[in-house]
Amino acid sequence: MLFGIPIWVFFCIVFIFISGYMALRAMRAEHHLEQQHIELEGQVYLTRMEEEKERRNQHRKVMM
């Protein structure tokens, strides 16, 4: 007993803090992965828009 409190209470408190730290770390990692995915999908979208714009410009040149 430390300070009149059983040792298992200290272990529970330590495990609570460790669990919180691990949850925070996992949340940050997941957020980072989501941001990478969003950036990749945005790049794909912009590429498709550019290709469509080029296709339309070529179509207009042929029609004139």
Side-chain angles (χ1 to χ4, degrees):
M1 289 188 30
L2 293 168
F3 305 113
I5 300 173
I7 194 78
W8 64 270
V9 173
F10 286 112
F11 283 127
C12 287
I13 292 171
V14 169
F15 289 136
I16 289 170
F17 281 112
I18 291 172
S19 176
Y21 171 74
M22 295 301 284
L24 182 64
R25 197 170 124 195
M27 186 174 62
R28 285 182 182 169
E30 186 175 341
H31 179 73
H32 181 69
L33 287 174
E34 286 177 359
Q35 289 299 321
Q36 285 180 338
H37 180 72
I38 289 169
E39 289 176 10
L40 179 63
E41 289 296 317
Q43 189 62 40
V44 168
Y45 179 74
L46 290 175
T47 303
R48 287 180 184 167
M49 285 182 60
E50 288 295 325
E51 290 172 356
E52 180 66 21
K53 186 177 179 181
E54 288 295 321
R55 188 183 64 78
R56 286 183 183 181
N57 285 338
Q58 288 177 357
H59 181 69
R60 285 184 184 157
K61 288 179 183 177
V62 170
M63 295 299 284
M64 292 184 151

